[in-house]
Amino acid sequence: MRSILILAVMFGGASLAFTPAARAQSKIPIPVPRPDYVPDTTPQRQTASERTVLSGTKLTLADVVFMGLRDNRTIKSAYIDRIAQKFDLRVAEDRFTPQFSISGEVARQRIGDVTSTTIDVSPGVTMLTRTGATFDFVWSNSANIGDGNRTLSSAAQVTFEQPLARGAGIEVNMAPVQQARLGEKINRLRLRATISETIGSVIFTHRDLLLAQEELKLAEDAVGRGEDLLRINGALIASGRMAQMDAVQTEADVESQKLRVLRAKQQIETARLALLNLLGLDFATKIVATESLTPRKVDTKIGRLLAVALDQRPDYQGQLYVIDQNRLGLVVAKNEQLWDIALFARGRFGGEFASRSPTQNVADIVGGVRFRFPINDISRQQLLVQADTSYRSAELQLADIRAGVEMQIRGSAAEVSLLWQQLVIAEKARDLAARAIEIEKLKLNAGRSTTFQVRSLEDSLRTAENQLLAARIGYMNALTRLDLQLGTTLDTWKIALKD
C-alpha cells in the first residue's frame, strides 16, 4: 500500500511540474526534482561531501620556481662550475700582464779541506706585448764565500724580441684572449639554458602534482554522483519500480571509482616526492600545488616567434660565438704558415767583485735578426686544414640549429593553437555531459529512463571531465614548452642572472 502511495505522489508531482509551454518545447517531460523522493528506508552511504582534504603548505607556480632557483642541486652545480670557468677567463686575460718571479739557491759544499758557501738570488720579469714582442729582464746576484776568499757578481740581463711575420700583429696575439671572452659568453648562455631547463622541469613537475590533485577531485565527484544514483536506485527498488539485481552494476561502478580515488592519491604522492626532490626540500614536507586552471589565449604568429627565438635561444646565440672562435682560430692558423723572422737584442750589464782583486765591469750587447725557414714541414699546414674545416663545420651547424629552431617553433605554435581549440571544445563537451546527466536523472525519477542510461551518461561525463583537465594542463604545458623554445623563460619570470 505504501509503494502505491509513493508512486502516486511521484507521478502526481511530475504531472504538476509541467506547463503547456514546456510540453510544446519537448515531447519528453523533465520534472523538477523533489527532496522527499527518497524513502526513509533507503540506506545512507558515504557521500562525496566527505572529500579528501589535502593538507600541507600551498605552493603556487611562482613559489616553486623561486624555491627551485634557491635550492635546486643542478643549478648549484652549474654555479660551482662557473667558478672555474671565470678563473679560466682571468688566466687568459692575464696574458699581457708582466710576470714577476724570484729564483735562487743556497748551497754549502766541501771539497777536500776547502769549504765554501754559494748564494744565488735572481729576480726577474717577463712580459708579452700585444704586438707579439717579448721582454725578459733578469737580475742575477751570486756570492761565493770560502776560507779567506769571497767573490760577488751582480748583473742585469735584458732580452727583447719582436716577430716580423709569424706571431706578429695585435689580431694574432689577442686571439687567445678574444676566444676566452667568447667562451665566457658561451658559458653564460649555457648557465642560462641550464636554469631555464631546470625551471621548466620544476613547472612541469608542479603541474603533475596539480593534475593528480584535480584527478582526485574528479574521482571523488564521480563517487559522489554514483552514490546519488544508488540512492535513486534505492528509492526505485523500495517503490517496486526496479529489481534489486539492477542496482548491482551501479554499486560496481562506485567501487571502481573508489579505486580511481586511491590511484589518484598514489599519483599525488609520487608527484609530491618528485617536486620536493627538484626543490631540494625534505621529502617529509607536505605540500599542495595551486595554480589557476583558466589559461588565456596567446598570440602564435610564426614571424614574431621566430625572430624572438633567434635572438634569445642560447643554442643559436652560442653557435654564433663558436663561429667567431673558429674564425679567430683560422686567423692564427694562417699566421702559423708564415716564416719565422724576428728582430732581437740582448744586453748584460753589471760587475764582478772578488777579494784582493780589482772590480771587473760587464757590458755585453748583442742585436740582429733571427730567422727560420721550414722547407718540408707540413704539420703547420695541418693546423690550417683543421681550423678551416672547424670553421666551415660550425657554419653548417649554425644552419642546422636554425632549421631546428624554426621547426620547433612552428610545431609548438601549431600545438598551442590546436590545444586551445581542444580546450574550448572540451569545456563545451563537459558542460553538455553534465547537463545530460541532470536531465537523465530527472527522467529516471519520472520513470522515463533507466539506470543503464544514467550510467552510460556518467561514463561520458567522466571522459569529458578527464579530457577537459588534460586539455587545460596540456595547453599550459605547451605554453611553457614554447617559452623554453623561445629562450624567454628567464624574461617571463623576470629572473636576472647574478653571475
Side-chain angles (χ1 to χ4, degrees):
M1 184 64 181
R2 182 178 182 181
S3 300
I4 295 174
L5 290 175
I6 292 174
L7 288 173
V9 171
M10 292 178 65
F11 283 105
S15 60
L16 292 175
F18 284 91
T19 63
R23 288 194 178 93
Q25 293 176 358
S26 175
K27 296 181 179 180
I28 302 177
I30 303 175
V32 178
R34 294 169 291 110
D36 58 344
Y37 73 95
V38 180
D40 297 337
T41 57
T42 304
Q44 296 296 320
R45 297 176 180 268
Q46 182 179 0
T47 64
S49 60
E50 301 175 13
R51 185 187 297 278
T52 301
V53 178
L54 298 175
S55 61
T57 303
K58 294 183 177 180
L59 296 180
T60 64
L61 205 55
D63 293 334
V64 297
V65 167
F66 291 105
M67 290 175 68
L69 289 175
R70 183 186 63 189
D71 296 322
N72 182 265
R73 289 183 288 273
T74 301
I75 295 179
K76 287 183 177 180
S77 177
Y79 272 101
I80 291 174
D81 292 340
R82 290 290 295 134
I83 297 174
Q85 292 167 359
K86 288 188 286 187
F87 193 79
D88 291 341
L89 175 62
R90 180 181 174 186
V91 171
E93 291 186 329
D94 201 49
R95 175 181 175 85
F96 302 110
T97 302
Q99 305 297 316
F100 297 91
S101 64
I102 299 177
S103 61
E105 181 180 283
V106 178
R108 186 171 179 80
Q109 62 180 357
R110 181 182 181 85
I111 302 176
D113 295 334
V114 179
T115 302
S116 64
T117 302
T118 302
I119 302 175
D120 291 323
V121 178
S122 300
V125 59
T126 301
M127 185 177 68
L128 172 67
T129 67
R130 294 173 184 265
T131 63
T134 57
F135 175 83
D136 293 317
F137 172 82
V138 178
W139 183 19
S140 299
N141 298 280
S142 178
N144 187 288
I145 304 173
D147 295 336
N149 187 23
R150 296 181 180 182
T151 61
L152 175 64
S153 66
S154 180
Q157 181 172 330
V158 180
T159 302
F160 172 79
E161 183 174 312
Q162 172 62 60
L164 299 178
R166 189 174 70 180
I170 295 177
E171 184 180 20
V172 170
N173 287 279
M174 282 294 294
V177 179
Q178 295 293 346
Q179 287 178 324
R181 290 172 179 172
L182 291 170
E184 171 66 9
K185 292 180 179 179
I186 294 173
N187 290 331
R188 286 181 60 84
L189 287 174
R190 287 174 179 169
L191 176 64
R192 184 183 180 92
T194 298
I195 295 177
S196 297
E197 291 170 0
T198 303
I199 290 175
S201 298
V202 169
I203 292 174
F204 291 139
T205 308
H206 179 270
R207 293 221 178 99
D208 288 341
L209 178 58
L210 180 65
L211 176 62
Q213 293 172 180
E214 293 300 318
E215 286 179 342
L216 175 61
K217 293 178 182 178
L218 294 181
E220 290 179 333
D221 288 343
V223 171
R225 292 194 300 269
E227 291 172 342
D228 288 341
L229 183 57
L230 279 177
R231 282 194 294 274
I232 294 176
N233 290 345
L236 296 175
I237 292 172
S239 64
R241 295 166 54 193
M242 176 184 291
Q244 182 71 38
M245 65 181 65
D246 292 338
V248 173
Q249 185 58 49
T250 303
E251 294 180 359
D253 289 343
V254 171
E255 298 303 319
S256 177
Q257 294 309 308
K258 289 181 179 180
L259 288 177
R260 182 184 167 200
V261 169
L262 295 178
R263 286 195 297 268
K265 290 181 178 180
Q266 179 59 40
Q267 290 173 355
I268 289 175
E269 184 64 15
T270 301
R272 183 185 69 85
L273 294 175
L275 182 57
L276 290 174
N277 183 49
L278 285 177
L279 299 181
L281 300 178
D282 185 2
F283 288 121
T285 306
K286 298 297 183 182
I287 57 175
V288 178
T290 60
E291 183 182 3
S292 173
L293 287 175
T294 55
R296 59 182 179 84
K297 186 178 181 180
V298 300
D299 180 21
T300 56
K301 293 182 180 178
I302 299 298
R304 183 186 66 85
L305 295 179
L306 187 58
V308 172
L310 295 179
D311 185 61
Q312 298 290 333
R313 282 274 294 240
D315 54 350
Y316 185 80
Q317 292 296 318
Q319 189 61 26
L320 292 176
Y321 293 139
V322 170
I323 290 177
D324 290 339
Q325 283 183 321
N326 290 334
R327 184 181 295 112
L328 291 171
L330 186 59
V331 170
V332 174
K334 288 180 178 179
N335 182 265
E336 285 293 319
Q337 309 307 306
L338 302 177
W339 287 352
D340 187 4
I341 305 174
L343 296 175
F344 73 92
R346 292 191 300 271
R348 186 171 181 268
F349 309 92
E352 295 179 354
F353 311 92
S355 58
R356 297 185 297 275
S357 298
T359 302
Q360 296 182 355
N361 294 324
V362 177
D364 300 332
I365 300 176
V366 178
V369 179
R370 177 185 58 78
F371 64 89
R372 179 175 181 273
F373 302 153
I375 303 300
N376 59 346
D377 183 10
I378 63 173
S379 61
R380 292 188 301 171
Q381 187 177 359
Q382 180 186 20
L383 296 176
L384 179 60
V385 172
Q386 292 176 345
D388 182 63
T389 54
S390 296
Y391 176 69
R392 291 192 291 175
S393 296
E395 288 186 324
L396 289 175
Q397 189 172 359
L398 177 66
D400 187 54
I401 291 175
R402 191 190 189 287
V405 169
E406 183 173 356
M407 183 174 64
Q408 285 184 346
I409 296 304
R410 288 184 179 275
S412 292
E415 180 188 26
V416 169
S417 179
L418 290 174
L419 284 176
W420 176 260
Q421 297 176 35
Q422 292 179 18
L423 176 59
V424 173
I425 295 174
E427 287 179 346
K428 293 181 179 178
R430 188 278 314 270
D431 294 341
L432 291 174
R435 179 57 180 159
I437 284 188
E438 293 177 1
I439 295 173
E440 201 66 26
K441 283 184 178 179
L442 294 176
K443 290 166 62 179
L444 177 65
N445 188 27
R448 295 181 175 271
S449 182
T450 63
T451 303
F452 175 78
Q453 291 174 318
V454 175
R455 289 201 312 269
S456 298
L457 292 176
E458 177 66 27
D459 291 338
S460 299
L461 177 59
R462 288 196 294 264
T463 301
E465 287 176 337
N466 291 333
Q467 288 177 344
L468 176 58
L469 178 60
R472 285 173 173 172
I473 299 296
Y475 179 75
M476 292 189 293
N477 283 341
L479 292 180
T480 301
R481 281 193 296 272
L482 180 60
D483 204 17
L484 286 170
Q485 292 170 359
L486 290 174
T488 56
T489 299
L490 299 186
D491 297 333
T492 299
W493 292 97
K494 296 180 174 56
I495 297 171
L497 294 184
K498 294 183 178 180
D499 189 19

